[in-house]
Amino acid sequence: MAEPIDYIVDDNGGYKIENGDFVKGNATQQHQKLLLLAEKGEIKQFPVAGVGIRGYILDEKSTSELKSEIGKEFEADGMVIDELSISNGIIKVEAYYGD
């Protein structure tokens, strides 16, 4: 599967516009960010999708629980994970959409 081309959103969650047109581009990192931030039930088409990372931070859940949830959600979205680590509060993910 090729990398997803989608409409790009800006840092405020609005669609990015250049020269009066919506911007399209590789949306892999955008999808990853949205999956990390989304709580279960927030994505209407896929109500069980989402990591809900804010809850992990606020509830001080374990790093291993968070890592497991990220892996599960990214794989469910069709990504292949080459690397997933959490160290000192920094999440490092190397993942791409596979065949």
Side-chain angles (χ1 to χ4, degrees), residues 2-84:
E3 296 296 321
I5 301 299
D6 206 345
Y7 293 106
I8 303 300
V9 295
D10 60 23
D11 292 336
N12 298 317
Y15 288 109
K16 194 172 187 178
I17 298 174
E18 290 179 2
N19 300 320
D21 224 347
F22 293 109
V23 175
K24 286 184 178 180
N26 182 330
T28 300
Q29 287 185 333
Q30 178 172 288
H31 290 180
Q32 292 172 353
K33 179 181 177 181
L34 293 174
L35 277 173
L36 287 170
L37 293 173
E39 297 287 338
K40 306 264 188 240
E42 284 187 337
I43 303 171
K44 285 186 178 186
Q45 280 185 293
F46 307 102
V48 296
V51 172
I53 197 166
R54 290 178 192 98
Y56 283 88
I57 294 168
L58 295 174
D59 293 343
E60 297 180 10
K61 294 180 183 177
S62 76
T63 299
S64 62
E65 285 179 283
L66 175 58
K67 186 176 176 182
S68 174
E69 186 67 13
I70 292 169
K72 183 180 87 174
E73 292 299 322
F74 281 23
E75 287 174 354
D77 199 50
M79 289 183 230
V80 175
I81 300 169
D82 283 340
E83 181 181 353
L84 172 56

